Amino acid sequence: MQIRFTPALLAVAAATAVALPAQAQSFPAADKPITIIVPFSAGGPTDRVARDLAEAMRKPLGNVSIVIDNATGAGSSIGTAKAARAKPDGYTLLLNHIAMSTMPALYRNLPFKVDSSFEYLGIINDVPMTLVGKPTLPANNYKELAGWISQNKSKVNMANAGLGSASHLCGLLLQSALKTQLTTVPYKGTAPAMTDLMGGQVDVMCDQTTNTTSQIAAKKVKAYAVTTTKPLTTPQLRGLPTLDSQGLKGFNVTIWHGLYAPKGTPAPVLAKLNTALKAALKDPVFIQKQQGLGAVVATDRRVEPAAHKQFVAAETAKWSPIIKAAGQYAD
């Protein structure tokens, strides 16, 4: 079949070719807000990161309005699916954490593909995690805790904030490293899990510094270790040993956050968004706010889209066998 390029058809093609660069050049429009979908509830650690980032990205994007849409549920898959379906024009973005690398194993029927339904914009930060216990736990350091867990094994109750949560994933990796299966107690969020830990209803928990630092400082829980390979410099957590130094060699879990756009967003728009993101990551106010949350702002090559995507692929390869071995699926 031979296609005839009539003057009318050529005119449409020319108009389209001109429209795309013009759209990118005018992005973002002053009167059109950018929405960042956060697939977790307002007030939580990921929401706080998103709101701090939105404020830091406004200036490099010409002081455009940036709003947060908390589309919660199903381990972040509902909000992530909403972002995947959004118009690919740069006005709808997704901010999600490590769930981008664990959903492919936790969910067997996702309505999107993490590796092909999104444009990757860059990693934002890394949030360390801490291993904490109820205040009445007999163990006073990690060596004693490991011995106590070895003696009690499945009698030990390990809380988490729900299937697919950061605390659930850290708990799975810890049990794998210890070659021990504990009794896991899932909650509907971090707050009730932490409340029961402080009250002594559960024994241990592994969660983000954003959720544990204040409780550790107030001595409402016992702190045993951090999950990074190097000790933290946060004043309240300085001196807390790493699991790696306590015998779990190579144990390293951080809850990273990344920024995404729907697949098909024009390249010039993506470039503007990435430039704004990198500017935000150098903003002293943003850095200070993240440090207050116990988070470390990304400064490495993962702030570039290609490296961000490679990193998520590596994290997916890391978590998939652990999740599948546990046999715990979210659907």
Side-chain angles (χ1 to χ4, degrees):
M1 178 179 176
Q2 187 175 7
I3 299 175
R4 291 184 60 198
F5 290 94
T6 64
L9 189 61
L10 290 171
V12 170
T16 302
V18 171
L20 285 175
Q23 177 192 20
Q25 189 174 4
S26 62
F27 176 86
D31 59 346
K32 188 173 182 178
I34 293 174
T35 297
I36 298 179
I37 294 176
V38 176
F40 299 98
S41 59
T46 301
D47 177 72
R48 293 168 70 183
V49 171
R51 293 179 190 277
D52 289 346
L53 182 70
E55 186 59 33
M57 286 183 67
R58 286 184 68 250
K59 187 175 180 180
L61 287 172
N63 291 317
V64 67
S65 177
I66 303 179
V67 298
I68 304 300
D69 175 12
N70 296 100
T72 64
S76 85
S77 63
I78 290 177
T80 304
K82 182 177 181 179
R85 295 191 302 266
K87 186 177 180 180
D89 57 5
Y91 289 99
T92 302
L93 307 176
L94 169 71
L95 192 151
N96 202 350
H97 64 20
I98 195 172
M100 293 297 279
S101 65
T102 59
M103 280 189 288
L106 278 170
Y107 293 86
R108 289 162 291 189
N109 295 292
L110 286 173
F112 57 84
K113 292 186 177 180
V114 170
D115 61 346
S116 60
S117 297
F118 299 95
E119 305 287 357
Y120 288 62
L121 290 168
I123 290 292
I124 300 162
N125 65 14
D126 294 285
V127 182
M129 303 192 77
T130 50
L131 178 60
V132 294
K134 63 184 181 182
T136 58
L137 209 61
N140 293 310
N141 54 54
Y142 175 74
K143 184 177 180 180
E144 292 180 5
L145 177 66
W148 181 78
I149 289 175
S150 179
Q151 290 173 0
N152 293 278
K153 296 183 179 178
S154 61
K155 295 179 182 178
V156 179
N157 293 319
M158 187 167 204
N160 65 59
L163 197 63
S165 65
S167 49
H168 172 233
L169 297 169
C170 185
L172 284 181
L173 190 60
L174 180 65
Q175 291 175 77
S176 176
L178 291 173
K179 296 180 173 59
T180 300
Q181 189 168 1
L182 309 180
T183 299
T184 56
V185 184
Y187 288 79
K188 292 183 178 180
T190 297
M194 183 60 71
T195 297
D196 275 7
L197 182 70
M198 292 187 294
Q201 281 75 41
V202 287
D203 300 316
V204 292
M205 185 175 178
C206 182
D207 207 0
Q208 303 174 66
T209 54
T210 48
N211 298 323
T212 62
T213 300
S214 61
Q215 314 301 349
I216 292 171
K219 300 188 184 303
K220 293 182 178 180
V221 295
K222 283 190 172 181
Y224 292 104
V226 295
T227 64
T228 50
T229 54
K230 295 181 180 179
L232 304 180
T233 58
T234 308
Q236 299 96 319
L237 303 176
R238 190 180 295 134
L240 195 60
T242 67
L243 285 170
D244 177 80
S245 68
Q246 299 292 303
L248 296 185
K249 294 297 181 184
F251 195 100
N252 183 24
V253 181
T254 59
I255 302 304
W256 42 267
H257 294 86
L259 193 64
Y260 309 82
K263 186 70 176 180
T265 303
V269 171
L270 294 173
K272 283 191 175 184
L273 288 167
N274 177 254
T275 298
L277 172 62
K278 287 189 284 190
L281 299 184
K282 294 178 181 178
D283 185 318
V285 175
F286 177 74
I287 293 171
Q288 185 178 21
K289 286 181 178 179
Q290 294 306 289
Q291 288 174 339
L293 295 174
V296 180
V297 175
T299 58
D300 55 82
R301 58 188 294 269
R302 294 175 303 158
V303 301
E304 300 293 345
H308 176 191
K309 189 169 186 177
Q310 290 171 358
F311 173 71
V312 173
E315 286 284 281
T316 302
K318 168 185 172 180
W319 285 107
S320 290
I322 295 169
I323 294 168
K324 290 176 181 176
Q328 297 179 6
Y329 299 100
D331 57 0

